[in-house]
Amino acid sequence: MEIQLKERMLPVPLQGGFRMKDFWVWCGSVAKGEDGRYHMFASRWPKAFPMHPGWLLVSEVVRAVSDTPEGPYRWAGTVLPARGPQYWDGRMTHNPHITRQGDKWVLYYTGSTHPFADLTLGEDLRPEDPRVIVARANKRVGIAVADHITGPWKRFPAPVLPVRPGHGDNMLTSNPAPCVEPDGSVLLLYKSRAYKQPPYSGLLHGAMKLHTARALRYDGPYTERSEEALFDRDVELEDPFLWRDGAMYRMIAKDMHGNVCGEKYGGVYAWSEDGDHWQLVRGEQAYSRRILWEDGRTELMGNMERPFLLFEEGKPICLFFAVSNGTDSFRDATDTWNMAVPLRYTADRQDLQ
């Protein structure tokens, strides 16, 4: 792959990225605003609740600001707070992905709701809780729009990607990954799950799959949606990041089992000529969960999710991840944050290759 992200990744700044005391932080997406500063859209939820499945019920999208791509980023306000269970995104917002489309800032995100009582601080929340089950099944992809990167943000009464009964995305849609085309149309990758067939033994949902959708403009309708999942049954990917490289589409994503790139939760490459049919690069890592800090230490992150590339002048200058400490995914995590990894060239650095 020409982009060679793994070889371009520089040591991680100790004070970079975005953290918040007393909050789980996730899902970093960054753009350079009209003010020349870097604005990160992220999700957060209180550490008074478990990291998982707390995010399904109380996550909210926030904005943080830095003078440099690497950070540190400082909290600047809540962007998409809870707004009542009667709204499709009234209880939770998550997975922000910021884009510039014409004269508008368009923020893609996942939202959900449920009709049950609010959580109480310190409550022992478990995956089998009815609020969790319903909130997961109600996940949908939507957008918010603003004239300025600082807002105010206009939300819509319905998601842009509802579920489709009788299709492979009949349970939920989430994890939006948009690519804005030169003509203003949008190719959107998203994650889906389907209800298992009767007798619904064990978990009610099947494996996560990736699908595509297209729209002539950001607010839809997203009518051209793939019938089949993008990859074979043995491939389970999450958190795609999508971009156009000339006539080619490229993707990086999280390898859930490690059977594509060789490392569980490591990064995979894929490419496509049309955005609908994708070729995986097997046996090659886009990135590893083992990172190098600027003080020379190496560390295996418990999670390394939601990859996001920041481009300037057509070149990727910084790679962002949602990361956790611990060694066993979210199960033993005590802290999460959005990590910023500078790449070997930026607008003010020479390409060192």
Side-chain angles (χ1 to χ4, degrees):
M1 297 292 288
E2 293 85 345
I3 196 166
Q4 298 177 319
L5 281 181
K6 190 175 179 182
E7 290 75 16
R8 294 184 184 273
M9 292 169 66
L10 294 170
V12 179
L14 294 171
Q15 302 302 318
F18 176 47
R19 300 175 185 249
M20 292 194 75
K21 185 181 179 182
D22 301 325
F23 286 90
W24 305 106
V25 174
W26 211 243
C27 301
S29 173
V30 177
K32 193 172 186 178
E34 306 95 330
D35 56 2
R37 306 179 76 193
Y38 295 89
H39 296 253
M40 177 185 287
F41 292 79
S43 55
R44 72 167 189 179
W45 58 104
K47 284 188 175 179
F49 306 111
M51 187 268 183
H52 178 77
W55 65 273
L56 273 163
L57 301 181
V58 289
S59 173
E60 63 179 3
V61 172
V62 300
R63 182 173 58 87
V65 181
S66 171
D67 292 327
T68 64
E70 298 90 347
Y73 286 80
R74 306 299 183 192
W75 183 80
T78 300
V79 177
L80 301 177
R83 59 173 179 165
Q86 69 272 31
Y87 294 96
W88 70 270
D89 60 350
R91 294 285 198 179
M92 176 274 278
T93 56
H94 201 65
N95 297 147
H97 188 123
I98 186 67
T99 66
R100 182 70 171 175
Q101 302 194 34
D103 60 351
K104 299 290 186 182
W105 291 100
V106 181
L107 182 65
Y108 292 79
Y109 66 98
T110 299
S112 184
T113 190
H114 66 81
F116 304 108
D118 291 329
L119 290 175
T120 57
L121 288 177
E123 186 173 348
D124 183 20
L125 184 66
R126 298 182 180 276
E128 60 270 19
D129 188 296
R131 291 167 294 188
V132 173
I133 294 172
V134 173
R136 184 187 299 278
N138 278 335
K139 287 200 298 177
R140 305 288 186 268
V141 170
I143 60 170
V145 179
D147 293 330
H148 305 284
I149 201 166
T150 55
W153 292 89
K154 176 188 175 182
R155 289 197 254 183
F156 293 85
V160 296
L161 285 184
V163 295
R164 299 182 298 172
H167 298 265
D169 53 5
N170 62 29
M171 180 182 181
L172 62 85
T173 64
S174 67
N175 299 53
C179 178
V180 182
E181 305 283 15
D183 64 358
S185 63
V186 181
L187 170 63
L188 182 63
L189 267 63
Y190 64 99
K191 185 178 84 173
S192 70
R193 288 189 188 267
Y195 284 105
K196 286 186 176 180
Q197 297 300 312
Y200 300 112
S201 59
L203 293 175
L204 295 181
H205 54 76
M208 60 185 70
K209 295 295 181 182
L210 299 182
H211 286 265
T212 60
R214 292 180 183 271
L216 294 179
R217 47 176 280 143
Y218 62 82
D219 53 357
Y222 287 80
T223 53
E224 295 184 40
R225 294 168 67 171
S226 57
E227 292 298 325
E228 301 295 329
L230 297 190
F231 301 109
D232 295 335
R233 191 171 299 177
D234 69 322
V235 175
E236 192 169 11
L237 305 182
E238 188 181 27
D239 295 335
F241 178 85
L242 169 68
W243 74 100
R244 179 187 274 276
D245 181 9
M248 190 80 66
Y249 295 97
R250 301 196 187 278
M251 179 203 306
I252 53 176
K254 176 187 174 185
D255 189 348
M256 293 300 294
H257 305 296
N259 61 331
V260 179
C261 75
E263 179 185 76
K264 187 175 183 180
Y265 304 151
V268 303
Y269 286 115
W271 60 271
S272 173
E273 293 181 349
D274 60 9
D276 296 312
H277 304 89
W278 289 82
Q279 298 294 320
L280 284 169
V281 180
R282 292 184 178 268
E284 181 178 344
Q285 291 179 359
Y287 54 84
S288 169
R289 287 163 54 213
R290 185 170 297 280
I291 59 98
L292 173 65
W293 292 102
E294 65 180 356
D295 64 2
R297 293 180 298 116
T298 62
E299 183 177 0
L300 182 67
M301 309 309 300
N303 278 297
M304 205 157 173
E305 302 190 358
R306 301 295 299 161
F308 182 92
L309 277 169
L310 175 63
F311 287 84
E312 283 191 357
E313 298 180 358
K315 294 182 178 181
I317 65 166
C318 199
L319 179 56
F320 298 88
F321 296 102
V323 298
S324 69
N325 62 0
T327 59
D328 187 20
S329 187
F330 52 78
R331 297 171 185 85
D332 61 350
T334 60
D335 195 19
T336 66
W337 66 99
N338 284 332
M339 176 183 287
V341 184
L343 299 179
R344 192 166 294 276
Y345 51 55
T346 69
D348 59 355
R349 294 191 189 116
Q350 287 187 335
D351 186 346
L352 300 180
Q353 271 201 321

